[in-house]
Amino acid sequence: MAKHDHDFPNAQESKPAYLYARFSSLAQREGISIERQLGYGASFAKDRGWNVVEQLRDDGKSAFKGANREEGAALYEFELKARNGVFRGGAVLVCENVDRLSRQGAKAAAQLIWSLNEAGVDVATYHDGHIYKAGDDGDLMDLLSVIIKGALGKEESFKKSERSKANWTNIHERIANGEKAAFSSQCPQWLEIKDGTYVLTGCGKRLGRAGHWPRFRGFLAHGVSHSGR
């Protein structure tokens, strides 16, 4: 099912290529995750003579929770087309790693790639140069490769999830103990950060004068200042 580039001396076959990029956290939107993935994917496809026909993006959709395979997600729509026979004539889905497609474990990752292969879609991962080929080119080592990568992806996501939970538990405890620091750079429109603490903006003050002040008392109790523009 998977082959390295050197196993395909005549792999410069022209076929429609679909670039897939995904990130899990909306906080990553400020970075260059999507652009980087699409850029590397486009270069990988060009080097192999594939014609990029579409870019598929799943912004802020977790592969650990399977959100990128739920209705409304780009990968969901691609899978649906595959099941409906749209790619029977051949196509390739290009992504960074197997874990961009699924982090739900070995079985889910293997089933996903296998089902796409059965529908005529090659799956290419540019990070390691693997091409999971449609048709009857699969072998046991290829299947084991997907299973191992799928298992590692899920384990990594689980560890990240546990670290995140522990971090937020620590933050909540520090707030409960009276610490006045701003723990996140993300604020609603009526707050901003000055000197490491939250302060009300002009918008926040206007909301307070409009009768919404009781809603802010909890924030004030944890160090939100009246000062600010």
Side-chain angles (χ1 to χ4, degrees):
M1 189 165 50
K3 295 290 184 288
H4 288 288
D5 288 341
H6 58 70
D7 293 325
F8 291 97
N10 299 315
Q12 305 294 324
E13 52 184 308
S14 178
K15 63 173 63 181
Y18 296 79
L19 306 183
Y20 180 71
R22 179 195 62 78
F23 62 82
S24 299
S25 170
L26 290 175
Q28 294 174 283
R29 179 177 290 169
E30 298 178 358
I32 57 172
S33 178
I34 288 288
E35 288 71 19
R36 176 187 59 79
Q37 292 177 53
L38 293 175
Y40 280 124
S43 297
F44 187 85
K46 181 179 179 181
D47 289 345
R48 285 147 189 81
W50 299 334
N51 178 34
V52 176
V53 296
E54 189 175 356
Q55 295 181 350
L56 310 173
R57 300 171 52 132
D58 276 327
D59 296 19
K61 294 189 181 297
S62 170
F64 180 52
K65 298 178 180 178
N68 65 322
R69 299 185 64 188
E70 295 176 350
E71 188 172 358
L75 185 57
Y76 170 89
E77 297 297 331
F78 186 84
E79 286 189 76
L80 184 61
K81 289 180 180 179
R83 288 195 297 270
N84 290 335
V86 173
F87 307 120
R88 286 297 177 190
V92 56
L93 180 65
V94 181
C95 61
E96 183 176 29
N97 282 314
V98 169
D99 61 16
R100 290 294 174 187
L101 301 175
S102 177
R103 281 180 174 265
Q104 292 184 294
K107 186 176 181 180
Q111 287 179 335
L112 171 57
I113 292 181
W114 193 276
S115 66
L116 290 174
N117 288 166
E118 290 293 299
V121 180
D122 294 347
V123 177
T125 53
Y126 60 79
H127 179 75
D128 55 10
H130 270 64
I131 303 174
Y132 299 86
K133 299 284 289 183
D136 300 323
D137 296 329
D139 58 44
L140 180 60
M141 293 305 298
D142 298 334
L143 181 59
L144 287 175
S145 172
V146 178
I147 291 173
I148 292 171
K149 291 171 184 175
L152 291 175
K154 182 176 182 179
E155 181 180 0
E156 180 183 353
S157 287
F158 178 77
K159 288 180 179 178
K160 287 181 179 178
S161 176
E162 291 301 300
R163 286 196 297 269
S164 178
K165 290 177 183 177
N167 181 54
W168 279 109
T169 297
N170 176 260
I171 289 174
H172 293 161
E173 290 176 350
R174 290 165 66 182
I175 291 174
N177 290 331
E179 192 164 335
K180 305 297 185 181
F183 291 100
S184 173
S185 61
Q186 297 181 351
C187 301
Q189 188 178 4
W190 46 272
L191 284 180
E192 65 180 346
I193 297 174
K194 283 189 176 181
D195 299 324
T197 60
Y198 294 115
V199 298
L200 290 173
T201 64
C203 173
K205 292 178 180 180
R206 288 192 297 273
L207 287 171
R209 288 194 294 269
H212 299 286
W213 192 250
R215 300 184 183 183
F216 300 147
R217 287 177 179 168
F219 291 96
L220 291 170
H222 294 302
V224 178
S225 170
H226 291 264
S227 62
R229 67 177 185 275

